[in-house]
Structure formats: C-alpha cells, structure tokens
Amino acid sequence: VDTSDEWIYTRTGIRERRIASEQETTATLAFEAAARALVIADMHPSQVELIIVATSTPEYIFPSTACRVQDYLGATRAGAFDLSAACSGFVYGLSMAAQSIQSGAVRNAVVIGAETMSRVLDWQDRGTCILFGDGAGAVVLKGSSVPGGVLASTLRSDGSGGDMLSLPAVYHNPMPMLGPEYLHNGHQNNTVAMNGRQVFRFATQVVADSVEETVLKAGLTMDDVALIVPHQANIRIIQGTAKKMGVPMDHVIVTVQDHGNTSAASIPLALSVGAAQGKLKQGDLIVTEAIGGGLAWGAVVLRW
C-alpha cells in the first residue's frame, strides 16, 4: 500500500507486529497463553472452573474458541464461552469473571484475549491494514481472603456508533437483506472497516471518564493509581487519554510499538510485558481501559 515506515510510526507509534502462521489459530494462541498463565499461577487445568475467551476472530461461530481451549487444556471441570466486545473484550471478560468469583458461582477463572486480526483485514486498505496484529494473553483469577485483585469495573456502550468500527459476519446461507456494509464492489465483504478520526475523537472523550468513575467506585483517587495499562490501539489515543486524565506517560505501559493493535489481546499482552519488566509491583493499583467496536468501552481497577 501507499505508505512508509515513517508515516506509520509518526501517526500510530507502531514499529512492528506479529502475524500468525498458517498452522496457528485464535484457539491455539489462546491455549498457549492460558497454559503459560496457569503455570505461573501454579494451577492445574483440572482445577479451572471458568474459561472466558474475548475475541472478534473466532474460528467458528460454534464451537466457541473457549471450548476448544478447554479441550486443549484438559480443563474437564470448566465452563467455557466466548465474549464479543471487540477491543474492549478483555476488560469485559475481566469484569465478568471477577463478578462470578465474588458471587460465589466459581472459585477461579481464566480470562483470555486472543486474536488473528491479520485474517480479517483488507490488505489494500491503508487505514486499517497497517494497524492490526495477532496475539494472545491470559490471566488467572482466584478467589482469596487477602484483599486485592479486581476492585471495581465500569462497562459502557453506544451502539449508535457501530458504523465507526465494524466487521461483518460471514454466513454460508443466503442473506436476502444484505446491507451495504456486507458488499464491496458487488462482492461479500468481511474485513474490518473503520473511521479512525471519529474513533479517536470518541475514545479520548469517553475512556478517561470511565477510568475516573471506576477509580471513584473503588473508593480511591487518581493519585492512588500506580500504572495505567490501556488498550494498545494507537499511541495518539493512549497519549490523548493519559493527558485528559492528568497521568504522565511514564505511568502508562505502552507496547503498541511491538505488537500493533491486537484488539482483545492487547491488554493481557501489555500486562505480561509489564510483569516481565518488573513494572507491576505487588500492592500496586492498576487501571486497565479499552474502547472497541460496538461501540463498547470500559475500565477495571485492580490491586496487583
């Protein structure tokens, strides 16, 4: 496409990204991330009670990617389902899993964000094909009498903005009432479409508000926050949101330069990088936030 490395980096902050091989799928990436997280958590798959996979790029409508991961892991006692909230899927999944544990429905959960976005891109569309990468990340949540973990969450949506960022579903059955979003030059279209400028404007406006609301719910202030771990969509969105919240960039984990926009996988990937680099310290107050197609957005406050 008509672009350059300099153009991409100055506008998005992306230097490199990963593309899944032909042998890899969203489910195999999700399995690998979950297996590694379970080792770190010292938990055997047979102990897992809930698996949530946040993804916009499943192999199948059903069986769910989560059920495939459950089988690969041998997690014979786990319920499993996929969650569709685009780039904010991991935030939604984290909130759902924490509430399930807090209610007593389950004692633990694995929350995975996994995507093969490279397979739903129009590689002729400069506005989208330079942005997205493939990847997966996972966290393990356990019920505990020790204070910490997920303290509060806020989830929001505005479906009237759905046309700003969309990916049409693909069905093999005839579709008599196809809307224009399904057709491109007379052919069925199933690639990501985005109005980047509108998404940027909306994201910087609403995400900061949801973060501040969630911190308040937790009975804390922004001064208590050690680190922001945002969805890694675009460096300008990350910088704009941090500025609106009054948070200096050295308190923000940024990995977009290495991974691109990996949609629901971006926050767990960033958490993993932050942990490996020693940036996440026990007792730190961490805020994760994201916005994605839907439009859906949200924030989670957690004690590491």
Side-chain angles (χ1 to χ4, degrees):
V1 290
D2 180 23
T3 189
S4 67
D5 182 64
E6 182 193 10
W7 191 93
I8 293 169
Y9 182 69
T10 54
R11 284 161 179 78
T12 70
I14 299 168
R15 285 212 183 276
E16 57 186 71
R17 54 188 166 156
R18 307 294 181 271
I19 303 295
S21 73
E22 289 182 9
Q23 289 74 38
E24 292 171 313
T25 68
T26 299
T28 64
L29 293 175
F31 159 69
E32 183 68 38
R36 293 185 192 186
L38 285 168
V39 168
I40 293 169
D42 193 24
M43 184 185 292
H44 192 272
S46 64
Q47 297 172 281
V48 176
E49 296 187 4
L50 178 64
I51 300 169
I52 301 175
V53 174
T55 186
S56 298
T57 51
E59 293 164 76
Y60 300 94
I61 302 298
F62 54 85
S64 69
T65 302
C67 278
R68 295 177 75 76
V69 172
Q70 176 272 328
D71 182 43
Y72 295 159
L73 286 171
T76 52
R77 296 182 65 246
F81 69 92
D82 286 359
L83 189 154
S84 174
C87 299
S88 59
F90 183 78
V91 167
Y92 269 66
L94 207 54
S95 178
M96 297 294 102
Q99 289 172 30
S100 294
I101 293 170
Q102 287 160 359
S103 73
V106 297
R107 289 174 296 178
N108 60 64
V110 180
V111 183
I112 308 162
E115 303 283 13
T116 46
M117 295 298 294
S118 61
R119 291 166 188 174
V120 294
L121 295 177
D122 176 354
W123 287 94
Q124 306 306 311
D125 177 10
R126 182 176 70 171
T128 57
C129 75
I130 64 168
L131 297 172
F132 293 93
D134 301 339
V139 298
V140 177
L141 302 181
K142 295 180 186 176
S144 173
S145 58
V146 179
V150 175
L151 305 180
S153 61
T154 300
L155 306 178
R156 294 284 184 270
S157 65
D158 181 0
S160 69
D163 58 346
M164 289 189 211
L165 182 52
S166 61
L167 174 61
V170 180
Y171 299 97
H172 297 292
N173 297 324
M175 292 180 287
M177 294 296 289
L178 285 176
E181 69 272 15
Y182 281 94
L183 299 175
H184 180 67
N185 294 333
H187 300 290
Q188 185 169 307
N189 177 41
N190 61 307
T191 55
V192 172
M194 181 177 70
N195 184 322
R197 191 163 293 176
Q198 279 186 293
V199 171
F200 173 82
R201 198 176 296 131
F202 190 85
T204 50
Q205 175 188 331
V206 301
V207 170
D209 292 343
S210 66
V211 167
E212 288 166 4
E213 181 181 343
T214 314
V215 171
L216 195 63
K217 272 186 195 174
L220 300 159
T221 70
M222 290 302 295
D223 292 336
D224 298 312
V225 177
L227 277 175
I228 305 283
V229 186
H231 167 48
Q232 308 288 317
N234 177 309
I235 191 63
R236 291 184 173 182
I237 292 178
I238 294 169
Q239 290 170 337
T241 305
K243 185 178 179 181
K244 196 166 189 295
M245 292 186 293
V247 175
M249 285 301 293
D250 60 357
H251 287 228
V252 181
I253 291 185
V254 180
T255 59
V256 70
Q257 69 278 0
D258 299 321
H259 303 141
N261 182 346
T262 54
S263 189
S266 81
I267 289 175
L269 276 172
L271 284 169
S272 182
V273 169
Q277 293 176 347
K279 291 180 179 176
L280 303 177
K281 298 178 176 61
Q282 189 169 343
D284 277 356
L285 194 72
I286 313 292
V287 176
T288 68
E289 44 88 347
I291 182 170
L295 295 165
W297 66 96
V300 171
V301 173
L302 57 100
R303 184 77 66 186
W304 193 254

